[in-house]
Amino acid sequence: MEFALSEEQRLFADSLRDLLTDRVTIDALRRHADSGNGFDPALWDELTQLGLPGLLVPERFGGAGLGVLDAAVAAEALGAAAAYVPFAGSIVMATLAFIHGATEAQQDEFLPRIAAGEIRFGVGISHDGTTATAAIDSGVPTHLLMYLPDGTAAVLPADTATIQTHRSIDRTRPVADIRFDPANATILNAANAPLAAMHRVLDTGRIVLAADTFGAAQHMFDAALAFVKQRTQFNRIIGSFQAVKHQFADMVTVLEPCRAMVWYAGYAQDALPDEARLTALQTKAHLGDIGRDIARMTTEAHGGMGFTDLLGLHYWFKRISYNRQMLGSPEQCREEAARLQGWA
Amino acid sequence: MDLSLSDKHRALQDEVRAFVRTHGHKSPKLGGGRKRPDQKTRDWQKLLVDHGYVGRTIPRDYGGFGLEPDVLEAAVVASEFAAAGIYAGMTNQGISMLVPTLLEVGTPEQKKQWVEKTIRGEVIWCQGYSEPGSGSDLASLSTKGVLEDDHFLVNGQKIWTSSAHYADWMFLLCRTEPEASKHDGISYLLLSMQTPGIEVRPLRTMTGRAEFNEVFFTDVRVPANQIVLGRGKGWYVANVTLKHERSMIGNAEKMTTRLEQLITLLKERNLLGTTEYRDRLLKLQGEVLAWKAHNLRLLTEAAQGIDSGVKRMIIKYGGTMLGFRLASLAIDTLGTDGLPFESAGEDAEDDDATTWNIDYLYDVGLMIGGGSNNIQKNIISERGLDMPREPKVARA
């Protein structure tokens, strides 16, 4: 038994972090927030060279063939950097939709292009079969992955649909309302149980967003801790005040177990089918709540500067807020967990 | 990442399961600890020692099973016993604290004399640490031990002494070097509770039970050779034990068991359909899942010899708070039905409502004992997060 990241996973996370630290500077983040659309072609190209789009694509289709835990590790790094990269929907959910729901021919047509970084998916859930609101990764997608009411997945070129993009509270990641004609779509119809396949894709998206929130929250925590160790008031380092110290003790006590929880949920998706759904839903819900608490307390710890645009901490605050609502808020995820266990 | 067991650990799992099938019926009931272990409990303890489920890594010369330390083995054994609902052996302070301490810093004679008897439950120890004026600031303790010829003359008072009312021996911290600094003036002595001059008074707590005692020392003579390591080394000796902190193991299992009991309770009382109760349960389920995963991570690090640092330091604070929140929901689920509270006494089993009430009350004690939560938060922030220590206030 070994509950830890492998050497390869750590090295991959390190190289991703290094790249993101270098490219997603606070100035670049600010520029993208002011004028970007959720997609930076130059950054995407570099991440493609690192193999990010093909992370979950099976090796025979040109990918790395890795698992959900690896996706969670990558998402943590993206969240820590507040990187404007379409990942949860465009890379992870779309890849898994093809793996779990597509015919061999459909896989052959799309998966190599996902791995090569050539196509990107906005992902939405349609309750009426022709529209979807708040689709994820829908800034400038090349394709759309729309889940239909019966759980089957419809894939269509983005230019065949009407995409109304809204800037979101997280200025680096828009959301979109989509109107599409299923007649234009390729239906992924190889899944024996389309609803189960859809749940698997959605749950994985939830884990990836939870991991992203964890990375963002840990970044905010580290920044706040560094700040209170150097800021002086009343002739004292403010981090020496017990009220401040105890707040940080409270934060680390709830935040640190979240890392293991995200790992567990990622591992369970691929290795523990009986626990996979419950842990995914609970992890998304738990990280939504803990993420909000950490975002608030770490902003508070920075004092007035924390509230300013100048410091830029709010990008992470808003990223956590976006992740909380996307693909199921804590309330919705817990309600689904209740139904899953026959409690509701 | 791989949660499957290795062949070695799977073999151990099979072995423990076979043991449970063969011997499980001899297990005493879970719980207890407030009275001296009875014959059944002592017989069970010996069976566990003989099979290597207690004292597994203690050298054979000292009555143990002589295996190399393997945290995962300990976890496999603990989880099989928990799953079968049978007693995993005595967890008194002699076994959990004195034995590892003696093995590390005791003389060969002390090890020979005490280790085997202690792990077999033949000698029961109590821990003489806290004093009325020295709780969180333990090193300020003032019970005196004055060396006179071949013995220390001990005078003073201890408090919060679990099991002192039936213990055979005590390991005691007292001040033998009054001229030395706070931490360097303490010695660690072993003494028989039969020594003249010791008075034990039970201390009833808010649970209605006497889980602790006050112990008074009046001219108690302790032979000078019953010191561990030497004069003024007591603080060091007491801290040796901390390295053997094992509280992380079993902690997540306790939370999981409690959560399962809570789910059963809510089902029985038809409250899963009431969103206010169900939501609290679902939130707690999420917290327990996070806690379980965190414990798996700690277990892996312990097995690899990694010092988990702040990850370990949060266990006591986070665990006691989570335990209390679980018990609190049980109390709220019981509602007015949980108000009648009548403990059946030391020898009988309490009804469910009283058991939950006792857990609920006792958890408050857990938040205070063994380093209160405010002290835990100081430790987490200062040692775990490297935040500046409190400025010292000048002594009056």
Side-chain angles (χ1 to χ4, degrees), chain A residues 1-4 229 236 239-240 242 245-246 249-250 252-253 256 259-261 263-264 267 282 334-335 341 343-344, chain B residues 1-4 272 278 281-283 285-286 293-294 297 300 304 317 374 377-378 380-382 385-386 388 390-391:
Chain A
M1 194 221 70
E2 187 180 8
F3 188 80
K229 283 182 184 178
R236 280 174 65 174
S240 72
Q242 205 167 39
K245 286 197 288 197
H246 282 197
D250 280 330
V252 76
T253 300
E256 192 60 48
R259 186 192 305 265
M261 186 184 208
W263 288 355
Y264 192 95
Y267 175 77
Q282 283 284 17
R334 279 195 280 264
E335 195 56 24
Q341 297 176 93
W343 297 354
Chain B
M1 187 75 64
D2 180 8
L3 294 186
S4 60
L272 282 174
R278 187 173 71 218
L281 180 67
L282 284 160
K283 282 182 186 166
Q285 184 177 47
H294 184 67
R297 189 173 171 216
T300 297
Q304 295 174 345
Y317 171 48
N374 278 332
K377 289 199 246 186
N378 286 354
I380 292 165
S381 55
E382 291 174 3
L385 300 176
D386 199 26
E390 288 289 293

Short mmCIF file of all heavy atoms in Angstrom, two decimals, chain A residues 1-4 229 236 239-240 242 245-246 249-250 252-253 256 259-261 263-264 267 282 334-335 341 343-344, chain B residues 1-4 272 278 281-283 285-286 293-294 297 300 304 317 374 377-378 380-382 385-386 388 390-391:
data_model
loop_
_atom_site.label_atom_id
_atom_site.label_comp_id
_atom_site.label_asym_id
_atom_site.label_seq_id
_atom_site.Cartn_x
_atom_site.Cartn_y
_atom_site.Cartn_z
N MET A 1 0.83 -1.19 0.00
CA MET A 1 0.00 0.00 0.00
C MET A 1 0.87 1.25 0.00
O MET A 1 1.78 1.35 0.80
CB MET A 1 -0.88 0.03 1.26
CG MET A 1 -1.98 1.05 1.13
SD MET A 1 -2.34 2.03 2.59
CE MET A 1 -0.92 3.07 2.77
N GLU A 2 0.59 2.12 -0.92
CA GLU A 2 1.33 3.38 -0.93
C GLU A 2 0.38 4.49 -1.36
O GLU A 2 -0.06 4.55 -2.51
CB GLU A 2 2.52 3.30 -1.88
CG GLU A 2 3.39 4.54 -1.78
CD GLU A 2 4.59 4.51 -2.70
OE1 GLU A 2 4.67 3.59 -3.54
OE2 GLU A 2 5.44 5.41 -2.59
N PHE A 3 0.05 5.37 -0.43
CA PHE A 3 -0.84 6.48 -0.74
C PHE A 3 0.01 7.73 -0.89
O PHE A 3 0.19 8.51 0.05
CB PHE A 3 -1.89 6.65 0.37
CG PHE A 3 -2.95 7.65 0.02
CD1 PHE A 3 -4.01 7.29 -0.80
CD2 PHE A 3 -2.90 8.94 0.50
CE1 PHE A 3 -4.99 8.21 -1.14
CE2 PHE A 3 -3.88 9.87 0.17
CZ PHE A 3 -4.93 9.50 -0.65
N ALA A 4 0.59 7.89 -2.05
CA ALA A 4 1.47 9.02 -2.32
C ALA A 4 1.60 9.16 -3.82
O ALA A 4 1.32 8.21 -4.56
CB ALA A 4 2.84 8.79 -1.70
N LYS A 229 4.23 36.82 8.00
CA LYS A 229 5.55 36.61 8.60
C LYS A 229 6.47 37.81 8.37
O LYS A 229 7.57 37.85 8.93
CB LYS A 229 6.21 35.36 8.01
CG LYS A 229 5.66 34.06 8.57
CD LYS A 229 6.41 32.89 7.97
CE LYS A 229 5.84 31.56 8.43
NZ LYS A 229 6.55 30.43 7.79
N ARG A 236 5.44 44.64 16.06
CA ARG A 236 5.53 43.18 16.06
C ARG A 236 5.22 42.65 14.68
O ARG A 236 4.41 43.21 13.95
CB ARG A 236 4.50 42.56 17.03
CG ARG A 236 4.92 42.60 18.47
CD ARG A 236 3.79 42.12 19.36
NE ARG A 236 3.46 40.70 19.15
CZ ARG A 236 2.58 40.04 19.91
NH1 ARG A 236 1.96 40.65 20.91
NH2 ARG A 236 2.32 38.77 19.67
N GLY A 239 2.27 38.03 12.33
CA GLY A 239 2.16 36.57 12.47
C GLY A 239 2.53 36.06 13.84
O GLY A 239 2.40 34.87 14.11
N SER A 240 2.99 36.97 14.74
CA SER A 240 3.28 36.53 16.11
C SER A 240 2.07 36.72 17.02
O SER A 240 2.08 36.26 18.16
CB SER A 240 4.48 37.30 16.69
OG SER A 240 4.13 38.63 16.97
N GLN A 242 -1.37 35.81 18.53
CA GLN A 242 -1.98 34.49 18.64
C GLN A 242 -3.27 34.39 17.82
O GLN A 242 -3.57 33.33 17.25
CB GLN A 242 -2.27 34.17 20.11
CG GLN A 242 -2.33 32.68 20.36
CD GLN A 242 -2.30 32.35 21.83
OE1 GLN A 242 -2.90 33.04 22.63
NE2 GLN A 242 -1.61 31.30 22.18
N LYS A 245 -2.12 33.55 14.44
CA LYS A 245 -1.57 32.19 14.37
C LYS A 245 -2.66 31.14 14.43
O LYS A 245 -2.63 30.15 13.70
CB LYS A 245 -0.58 31.97 15.52
CG LYS A 245 0.74 32.69 15.30
CD LYS A 245 1.82 32.16 16.19
CE LYS A 245 1.62 32.56 17.63
NZ LYS A 245 2.85 32.40 18.43
N HIS A 246 -3.62 31.37 15.30
CA HIS A 246 -4.68 30.37 15.44
C HIS A 246 -5.55 30.29 14.20
O HIS A 246 -6.05 29.23 13.84
CB HIS A 246 -5.50 30.64 16.70
CG HIS A 246 -4.79 30.19 17.95
ND1 HIS A 246 -5.41 30.00 19.15
CD2 HIS A 246 -3.49 29.88 18.15
CE1 HIS A 246 -4.52 29.59 20.04
NE2 HIS A 246 -3.35 29.52 19.46
N ALA A 249 -3.63 28.13 11.95
CA ALA A 249 -3.73 26.74 12.40
C ALA A 249 -5.08 26.16 11.97
O ALA A 249 -5.17 25.01 11.51
CB ALA A 249 -3.56 26.66 13.91
N ASP A 250 -6.14 26.95 12.12
CA ASP A 250 -7.47 26.49 11.69
C ASP A 250 -7.47 26.20 10.20
O ASP A 250 -8.02 25.19 9.74
CB ASP A 250 -8.53 27.55 12.00
CG ASP A 250 -8.94 27.53 13.46
OD1 ASP A 250 -8.89 26.44 14.06
OD2 ASP A 250 -9.31 28.59 14.00
N VAL A 252 -4.93 25.47 8.10
CA VAL A 252 -4.12 24.33 7.64
C VAL A 252 -4.78 23.01 8.08
O VAL A 252 -4.67 22.00 7.40
CB VAL A 252 -2.65 24.45 8.11
CG1 VAL A 252 -2.49 24.12 9.58
CG2 VAL A 252 -1.75 23.55 7.27
N THR A 253 -5.48 23.06 9.20
CA THR A 253 -6.13 21.84 9.69
C THR A 253 -7.24 21.37 8.75
O THR A 253 -7.47 20.17 8.61
CB THR A 253 -6.69 22.07 11.12
OG1 THR A 253 -5.60 22.42 11.97
CG2 THR A 253 -7.37 20.83 11.66
N GLU A 256 -5.12 21.00 4.60
CA GLU A 256 -4.16 19.94 4.29
C GLU A 256 -4.84 18.59 3.97
O GLU A 256 -4.45 17.93 3.00
CB GLU A 256 -3.16 19.79 5.44
CG GLU A 256 -1.95 18.94 5.12
CD GLU A 256 -1.10 19.45 3.96
OE1 GLU A 256 -0.79 20.66 3.95
OE2 GLU A 256 -0.77 18.65 3.07
N ARG A 259 -5.89 17.85 0.23
CA ARG A 259 -4.96 17.34 -0.78
C ARG A 259 -5.11 15.83 -0.92
O ARG A 259 -5.26 15.29 -2.02
CB ARG A 259 -3.52 17.69 -0.40
CG ARG A 259 -2.50 17.33 -1.46
CD ARG A 259 -1.08 17.42 -0.92
NE ARG A 259 -0.77 18.71 -0.35
CZ ARG A 259 -0.17 19.71 -1.00
NH1 ARG A 259 0.18 19.56 -2.24
NH2 ARG A 259 0.08 20.86 -0.40
N ALA A 260 -5.13 15.14 0.22
CA ALA A 260 -5.30 13.68 0.20
C ALA A 260 -6.68 13.31 -0.32
O ALA A 260 -6.84 12.31 -1.02
CB ALA A 260 -5.08 13.12 1.61
N MET A 261 -7.68 14.11 0.01
CA MET A 261 -9.03 13.82 -0.45
C MET A 261 -9.11 13.87 -1.98
O MET A 261 -9.71 13.00 -2.61
CB MET A 261 -10.01 14.82 0.15
CG MET A 261 -11.46 14.51 -0.14
SD MET A 261 -12.58 15.78 0.48
CE MET A 261 -14.06 14.78 0.76
N TRP A 263 -6.59 13.46 -4.07
CA TRP A 263 -5.85 12.30 -4.58
C TRP A 263 -6.72 11.05 -4.53
O TRP A 263 -6.76 10.26 -5.47
CB TRP A 263 -4.60 12.02 -3.72
CG TRP A 263 -3.49 13.00 -3.87
CD1 TRP A 263 -3.41 14.06 -4.74
CD2 TRP A 263 -2.27 13.01 -3.10
NE1 TRP A 263 -2.22 14.72 -4.54
CE2 TRP A 263 -1.51 14.11 -3.56
CE3 TRP A 263 -1.76 12.22 -2.07
CZ2 TRP A 263 -0.26 14.42 -3.02
CZ3 TRP A 263 -0.52 12.52 -1.54
CH2 TRP A 263 0.22 13.62 -2.02
N TYR A 264 -7.38 10.88 -3.39
CA TYR A 264 -8.18 9.67 -3.21
C TYR A 264 -9.30 9.61 -4.25
O TYR A 264 -9.54 8.57 -4.86
CB TYR A 264 -8.77 9.64 -1.79
CG TYR A 264 -9.38 8.30 -1.42
CD1 TYR A 264 -8.64 7.36 -0.72
CD2 TYR A 264 -10.68 7.98 -1.78
CE1 TYR A 264 -9.17 6.13 -0.39
CE2 TYR A 264 -11.23 6.75 -1.46
CZ TYR A 264 -10.47 5.84 -0.76
OH TYR A 264 -11.01 4.60 -0.44
N TYR A 267 -7.85 8.73 -7.61
CA TYR A 267 -7.47 7.32 -7.64
C TYR A 267 -8.71 6.43 -7.73
O TYR A 267 -8.75 5.46 -8.48
CB TYR A 267 -6.66 7.00 -6.39
CG TYR A 267 -6.29 5.55 -6.22
CD1 TYR A 267 -5.26 4.98 -6.96
CD2 TYR A 267 -6.97 4.75 -5.30
CE1 TYR A 267 -4.92 3.65 -6.80
CE2 TYR A 267 -6.63 3.41 -5.14
CZ TYR A 267 -5.61 2.86 -5.89
OH TYR A 267 -5.27 1.54 -5.72
N GLN A 282 -18.55 14.14 -3.07
CA GLN A 282 -18.20 14.71 -1.77
C GLN A 282 -16.94 15.58 -1.86
O GLN A 282 -16.81 16.57 -1.15
CB GLN A 282 -18.00 13.59 -0.74
CG GLN A 282 -19.31 13.01 -0.21
CD GLN A 282 -20.00 13.93 0.79
OE1 GLN A 282 -19.69 15.11 0.89
NE2 GLN A 282 -20.95 13.39 1.54
N ARG A 334 -24.02 17.46 -2.90
CA ARG A 334 -24.44 16.70 -1.72
C ARG A 334 -25.84 16.11 -1.92
O ARG A 334 -26.12 15.00 -1.46
CB ARG A 334 -24.38 17.58 -0.47
CG ARG A 334 -22.97 17.69 0.10
CD ARG A 334 -22.95 18.25 1.50
NE ARG A 334 -23.08 19.68 1.48
CZ ARG A 334 -22.05 20.53 1.54
NH1 ARG A 334 -20.82 20.08 1.64
NH2 ARG A 334 -22.25 21.81 1.51
N GLU A 335 -26.69 16.86 -2.60
CA GLU A 335 -28.03 16.33 -2.88
C GLU A 335 -27.91 15.08 -3.76
O GLU A 335 -28.61 14.09 -3.53
CB GLU A 335 -28.87 17.42 -3.56
CG GLU A 335 -30.36 17.16 -3.59
CD GLU A 335 -30.97 16.92 -2.20
OE1 GLU A 335 -30.40 17.39 -1.19
OE2 GLU A 335 -32.01 16.25 -2.13
N GLN A 341 -27.03 7.42 -2.28
CA GLN A 341 -27.03 6.51 -1.13
C GLN A 341 -28.44 6.14 -0.68
O GLN A 341 -28.62 5.52 0.38
CB GLN A 341 -26.27 7.18 0.03
CG GLN A 341 -24.80 7.42 -0.31
CD GLN A 341 -24.05 8.17 0.77
OE1 GLN A 341 -23.44 7.57 1.65
NE2 GLN A 341 -24.10 9.49 0.73
N TRP A 343 -30.73 8.19 0.29
CA TRP A 343 -31.15 9.01 1.43
C TRP A 343 -32.18 10.06 1.02
O TRP A 343 -32.71 10.76 1.86
CB TRP A 343 -29.96 9.73 2.05
CG TRP A 343 -28.93 8.82 2.63
CD1 TRP A 343 -29.01 7.45 2.75
CD2 TRP A 343 -27.65 9.18 3.18
NE1 TRP A 343 -27.87 6.96 3.33
CE2 TRP A 343 -27.02 8.00 3.61
CE3 TRP A 343 -26.99 10.40 3.35
CZ2 TRP A 343 -25.76 8.00 4.20
CZ3 TRP A 343 -25.74 10.40 3.94
CH2 TRP A 343 -25.12 9.21 4.36
N ALA A 344 -32.35 10.23 -0.29
CA ALA A 344 -33.28 11.27 -0.74
C ALA A 344 -34.04 10.76 -1.96
O ALA A 344 -33.61 9.82 -2.61
CB ALA A 344 -32.54 12.53 -1.10
N MET B 1 0.66 5.53 -6.40
CA MET B 1 -0.59 5.37 -5.65
C MET B 1 -1.12 3.97 -5.85
O MET B 1 -1.39 3.56 -6.98
CB MET B 1 -1.59 6.41 -6.17
CG MET B 1 -2.86 6.50 -5.40
SD MET B 1 -2.74 7.34 -3.82
CE MET B 1 -2.29 9.01 -4.31
N ASP B 2 -1.21 3.23 -4.78
CA ASP B 2 -1.70 1.87 -4.87
C ASP B 2 -2.20 1.47 -3.49
O ASP B 2 -1.42 1.36 -2.55
CB ASP B 2 -0.57 0.93 -5.33
CG ASP B 2 -1.04 -0.51 -5.44
OD1 ASP B 2 -2.27 -0.75 -5.30
OD2 ASP B 2 -0.19 -1.39 -5.66
N LEU B 3 -3.52 1.30 -3.37
CA LEU B 3 -4.07 0.99 -2.06
C LEU B 3 -4.20 -0.50 -1.80
O LEU B 3 -4.70 -0.91 -0.76
CB LEU B 3 -5.43 1.67 -1.88
CG LEU B 3 -5.37 3.20 -1.86
CD1 LEU B 3 -6.73 3.79 -1.54
CD2 LEU B 3 -4.34 3.69 -0.85
N SER B 4 -3.74 -1.30 -2.75
CA SER B 4 -3.82 -2.74 -2.50
C SER B 4 -2.69 -3.16 -1.56
O SER B 4 -1.67 -2.49 -1.47
CB SER B 4 -3.73 -3.51 -3.82
OG SER B 4 -2.50 -3.21 -4.44
N LEU B 272 -33.49 10.98 7.72
CA LEU B 272 -32.72 11.21 6.49
C LEU B 272 -33.54 12.00 5.47
O LEU B 272 -32.99 12.64 4.59
CB LEU B 272 -32.28 9.88 5.88
CG LEU B 272 -31.08 9.21 6.55
CD1 LEU B 272 -30.82 7.85 5.94
CD2 LEU B 272 -29.84 10.08 6.43
N ARG B 278 -30.14 15.80 7.14
CA ARG B 278 -29.41 15.11 6.08
C ARG B 278 -28.21 15.92 5.61
O ARG B 278 -27.13 15.38 5.39
CB ARG B 278 -30.35 14.83 4.91
CG ARG B 278 -29.74 13.96 3.84
CD ARG B 278 -30.76 13.57 2.80
NE ARG B 278 -31.14 14.71 1.99
CZ ARG B 278 -32.38 14.93 1.54
NH1 ARG B 278 -33.36 14.10 1.85
NH2 ARG B 278 -32.64 15.97 0.80
N LEU B 281 -25.41 15.60 7.99
CA LEU B 281 -24.79 14.28 7.84
C LEU B 281 -23.89 14.23 6.61
O LEU B 281 -22.77 13.73 6.66
CB LEU B 281 -25.88 13.21 7.75
CG LEU B 281 -25.38 11.77 7.59
CD1 LEU B 281 -24.65 11.31 8.85
CD2 LEU B 281 -26.52 10.81 7.28
N LEU B 282 -24.38 14.79 5.51
CA LEU B 282 -23.60 14.75 4.27
C LEU B 282 -22.31 15.55 4.41
O LEU B 282 -21.25 15.15 3.94
CB LEU B 282 -24.43 15.29 3.11
CG LEU B 282 -25.49 14.30 2.58
CD1 LEU B 282 -26.58 15.04 1.82
CD2 LEU B 282 -24.85 13.23 1.71
N LYS B 283 -22.38 16.69 5.09
CA LYS B 283 -21.16 17.49 5.30
C LYS B 283 -20.16 16.71 6.15
O LYS B 283 -18.97 16.70 5.87
CB LYS B 283 -21.51 18.81 5.97
CG LYS B 283 -22.08 19.83 5.01
CD LYS B 283 -22.35 21.16 5.70
CE LYS B 283 -23.06 22.09 4.71
NZ LYS B 283 -23.65 23.26 5.36
N GLN B 285 -19.98 13.50 6.38
CA GLN B 285 -19.46 12.40 5.57
C GLN B 285 -18.28 12.88 4.73
O GLN B 285 -17.25 12.21 4.63
CB GLN B 285 -20.56 11.84 4.66
CG GLN B 285 -20.12 10.63 3.86
CD GLN B 285 -21.27 10.07 3.03
OE1 GLN B 285 -21.99 10.80 2.36
NE2 GLN B 285 -21.45 8.76 3.08
N GLY B 286 -18.41 14.08 4.16
CA GLY B 286 -17.31 14.67 3.39
C GLY B 286 -16.08 14.88 4.26
O GLY B 286 -14.95 14.58 3.87
N ALA B 293 -8.60 9.88 4.03
CA ALA B 293 -7.57 9.98 2.99
C ALA B 293 -6.29 10.57 3.60
O ALA B 293 -5.18 10.10 3.32
CB ALA B 293 -8.07 10.85 1.83
N HIS B 294 -6.46 11.58 4.44
CA HIS B 294 -5.29 12.20 5.08
C HIS B 294 -4.54 11.17 5.93
O HIS B 294 -3.31 11.14 5.94
CB HIS B 294 -5.76 13.38 5.94
CG HIS B 294 -4.65 14.15 6.56
ND1 HIS B 294 -3.77 14.90 5.81
CD2 HIS B 294 -4.26 14.29 7.85
CE1 HIS B 294 -2.89 15.47 6.64
NE2 HIS B 294 -3.17 15.11 7.87
N ARG B 297 -2.40 8.95 3.93
CA ARG B 297 -1.18 9.65 3.53
C ARG B 297 -0.16 9.62 4.67
O ARG B 297 1.03 9.36 4.45
CB ARG B 297 -1.55 11.09 3.17
CG ARG B 297 -0.46 11.89 2.55
CD ARG B 297 -1.02 13.23 2.09
NE ARG B 297 0.05 14.12 1.67
CZ ARG B 297 0.02 15.43 1.88
NH1 ARG B 297 -1.01 15.99 2.48
NH2 ARG B 297 1.02 16.18 1.47
N THR B 300 1.36 6.16 5.02
CA THR B 300 2.39 5.92 4.01
C THR B 300 3.69 6.62 4.40
O THR B 300 4.77 6.04 4.31
CB THR B 300 1.91 6.42 2.65
OG1 THR B 300 0.76 5.68 2.26
CG2 THR B 300 2.99 6.25 1.58
N GLN B 304 7.38 5.04 5.37
CA GLN B 304 8.60 5.39 4.63
C GLN B 304 9.59 6.17 5.48
O GLN B 304 10.61 6.64 4.98
CB GLN B 304 8.21 6.22 3.39
CG GLN B 304 7.37 5.42 2.40
CD GLN B 304 6.85 6.26 1.25
OE1 GLN B 304 6.87 7.49 1.31
NE2 GLN B 304 6.37 5.61 0.20
N TYR B 317 -6.06 18.15 17.06
CA TYR B 317 -7.03 19.25 17.01
C TYR B 317 -8.17 18.92 16.04
O TYR B 317 -9.35 18.94 16.40
CB TYR B 317 -6.31 20.54 16.61
CG TYR B 317 -7.21 21.71 16.31
CD1 TYR B 317 -8.23 22.05 17.18
CD2 TYR B 317 -7.01 22.49 15.17
CE1 TYR B 317 -9.05 23.14 16.89
CE2 TYR B 317 -7.82 23.57 14.89
CZ TYR B 317 -8.85 23.89 15.75
OH TYR B 317 -9.65 24.96 15.47
N ASN B 374 -6.12 24.91 22.16
CA ASN B 374 -5.40 26.17 21.97
C ASN B 374 -3.90 25.94 21.94
O ASN B 374 -3.17 26.58 21.17
CB ASN B 374 -5.77 27.18 23.06
CG ASN B 374 -7.07 27.90 22.74
OD1 ASN B 374 -7.42 28.04 21.57
ND2 ASN B 374 -7.78 28.32 23.75
N LYS B 377 -3.03 24.52 18.61
CA LYS B 377 -2.96 25.56 17.56
C LYS B 377 -1.64 26.33 17.65
O LYS B 377 -1.12 26.76 16.62
CB LYS B 377 -4.17 26.49 17.67
CG LYS B 377 -5.46 25.82 17.24
CD LYS B 377 -6.53 26.83 16.90
CE LYS B 377 -7.68 26.78 17.87
NZ LYS B 377 -8.79 27.66 17.49
N ASN B 378 -1.13 26.51 18.86
CA ASN B 378 0.20 27.12 18.98
C ASN B 378 1.25 26.22 18.33
O ASN B 378 2.14 26.68 17.61
CB ASN B 378 0.58 27.33 20.44
CG ASN B 378 -0.17 28.49 21.08
OD1 ASN B 378 -0.89 29.22 20.40
ND2 ASN B 378 0.00 28.66 22.37
N ILE B 380 0.80 23.87 16.02
CA ILE B 380 0.61 23.81 14.57
C ILE B 380 1.21 25.06 13.91
O ILE B 380 1.94 24.97 12.92
CB ILE B 380 -0.89 23.71 14.22
CG1 ILE B 380 -1.46 22.36 14.68
CG2 ILE B 380 -1.13 23.92 12.73
CD1 ILE B 380 -2.99 22.33 14.71
N SER B 381 0.94 26.22 14.49
CA SER B 381 1.39 27.46 13.83
C SER B 381 2.88 27.70 14.05
O SER B 381 3.58 28.09 13.11
CB SER B 381 0.56 28.65 14.32
OG SER B 381 0.59 28.76 15.72
N GLU B 382 3.36 27.46 15.26
CA GLU B 382 4.76 27.78 15.54
C GLU B 382 5.72 26.71 15.00
O GLU B 382 6.71 27.02 14.35
CB GLU B 382 4.97 27.97 17.05
CG GLU B 382 4.28 29.24 17.56
CD GLU B 382 4.36 29.38 19.07
OE1 GLU B 382 5.00 28.54 19.74
OE2 GLU B 382 3.76 30.36 19.58
N LEU B 385 4.03 25.64 11.00
CA LEU B 385 4.04 26.67 9.95
C LEU B 385 5.17 27.68 10.15
O LEU B 385 5.27 28.66 9.41
CB LEU B 385 2.69 27.41 9.93
CG LEU B 385 1.46 26.53 9.64
CD1 LEU B 385 0.18 27.36 9.75
CD2 LEU B 385 1.55 25.89 8.27
N ASP B 386 5.97 27.46 11.19
CA ASP B 386 7.13 28.32 11.43
C ASP B 386 6.74 29.79 11.63
O ASP B 386 7.41 30.70 11.15
CB ASP B 386 8.14 28.18 10.28
CG ASP B 386 9.53 28.66 10.67
OD1 ASP B 386 9.83 28.61 11.88
OD2 ASP B 386 10.28 29.08 9.78
N PRO B 388 6.16 33.13 14.12
CA PRO B 388 6.95 33.56 15.29
C PRO B 388 6.28 33.19 16.61
O PRO B 388 5.06 33.20 16.72
CB PRO B 388 6.99 35.09 15.13
CG PRO B 388 6.54 35.37 13.75
CD PRO B 388 5.68 34.23 13.31
N GLU B 390 5.19 33.55 20.58
CA GLU B 390 4.72 34.67 21.40
C GLU B 390 5.91 35.36 22.06
O GLU B 390 6.80 34.67 22.57
CB GLU B 390 3.84 34.13 22.54
CG GLU B 390 2.50 33.64 22.11
CD GLU B 390 1.59 34.77 21.69
OE1 GLU B 390 1.21 35.57 22.54
OE2 GLU B 390 1.27 34.85 20.49
N PRO B 391 5.92 36.69 22.09
CA PRO B 391 6.97 37.35 22.86
C PRO B 391 6.80 36.98 24.34
O PRO B 391 5.69 36.87 24.82
CB PRO B 391 6.69 38.84 22.66
CG PRO B 391 5.71 38.93 21.55
CD PRO B 391 4.98 37.64 21.49
#
